[in-house]
Amino acid sequence: MNGFEAWLAYLFDRPADDDGSWDEQPHEWFDRYARQDTPAATAERIRELFGHAGTLLRHHSDDQVARGVRDIVDGELGVLRSRQVPVVLRTTGLRSIVPLFAEVFAPRITVELPRNEPELQSLCFMFFDVAPLDLGDDTVLDVLEDTLALPSVPCRRAALHGLGHAHWHAPQAAQKIVDRWLARHRDAPQELRDYAAAARTGNVM
């Protein structure tokens, strides 16, 4: 098992009924690889995983995927803002967020549950809110616009939520992205268009 495979196994093979003992077990990722890790290597792993998430995570349950991706968001994704990571790697790492939405969130969340929402649905909606990203960054704004263009209501809602927060960092850019989407999707569900109008001015919850 190479370092990438060991990292995936640690993050995503956790049993659904884990009682907290998973982290107490020996894991090849920590035993062989973690101590030699670098910011650039972390960014490369994230880019590889997110860029091919549909294939790499296809055998994992929704709960396993949600927990593993949330661990990355909470613990490692901030590396894509690090100056220790080459610019091209940071940029392509950020752009790999779009296939994560297209290949994982979109096909797995086909029905949104308004109450007791599954962890994967919650993570999708809150991704751009909780991820340590610079919402005023041009590449991140491109990611938000590309995610908004996906033919998935949950992904579009997540992007609009992110754009609502981006309004406070880059108001003109965020408004233009929302306006372009509204102009191109006049047949979108009215509740989504209403949410877009709220996101346009930063009024999202």
Side-chain angles (χ1 to χ4, degrees):
M1 186 180 294
N2 62 31
F4 181 73
E5 293 167 341
W7 179 69
L8 286 185
Y10 169 68
L11 286 171
F12 295 99
D13 288 353
R14 183 189 303 268
D17 58 353
D18 175 48
D19 59 1
S21 62
W22 180 252
D23 289 323
E24 298 174 1
Q25 300 176 22
H27 294 284
E28 188 169 356
W29 165 246
F30 291 109
D31 293 343
R32 294 186 57 189
Y33 299 105
R35 292 180 182 177
Q36 290 79 41
D37 201 24
T38 65
T42 300
E44 287 178 358
R45 288 196 308 274
I46 293 172
R47 180 179 64 181
E48 176 67 16
L49 170 61
F50 285 6
H52 304 90
T55 299
L56 291 170
L57 300 178
R58 66 183 182 279
H59 297 306
H60 293 84
S61 70
D62 288 357
D63 287 343
Q64 286 176 313
V65 170
R67 183 148 190 174
V69 173
R70 184 172 289 279
D71 282 349
I72 293 171
V73 170
D74 291 344
E76 298 180 303
L77 195 63
V79 77
L80 297 181
R81 299 181 66 171
S82 173
R83 294 188 180 277
Q84 298 180 57
V85 177
V87 173
V88 172
L89 179 53
R90 293 205 311 266
T91 300
T92 53
L94 289 169
R95 292 189 184 282
S96 72
I97 292 172
V98 179
L100 172 68
F101 272 82
E103 298 176 11
V104 173
F105 292 132
R108 287 176 181 255
I109 308 171
T110 56
V111 176
E112 292 179 293
L113 301 178
R115 296 183 179 181
N116 299 318
E117 61 182 13
E119 180 64 21
L120 192 69
Q121 179 182 321
S122 175
L123 176 60
C124 174
F125 176 64
M126 294 295 290
F127 187 94
F128 295 105
D129 190 342
V130 300
L133 303 173
D134 177 2
L135 295 178
D137 178 81
D138 288 344
T139 301
V140 175
L141 289 165
D142 287 344
V143 167
L144 285 164
E145 184 160 21
D146 290 346
T147 303
L148 183 58
L150 296 174
S152 160
V153 170
C155 292
R156 289 175 170 178
R157 197 185 314 281
L160 289 170
H161 187 75
L163 285 162
H165 289 289
H167 170 82
W168 302 106
H169 302 268
Q172 292 184 345
Q175 287 176 4
K176 288 179 180 178
I177 291 171
V178 174
D179 287 346
R180 284 195 291 268
W181 183 82
L182 284 169
R184 295 168 183 165
H185 297 87
R186 298 184 185 280
D187 59 345
Q190 188 58 46
E191 58 90 13
L192 199 61
R193 289 180 58 84
D194 290 344
Y195 194 64
R200 187 181 183 279
T201 56
N203 294 315
V204 296
M205 297 292 292

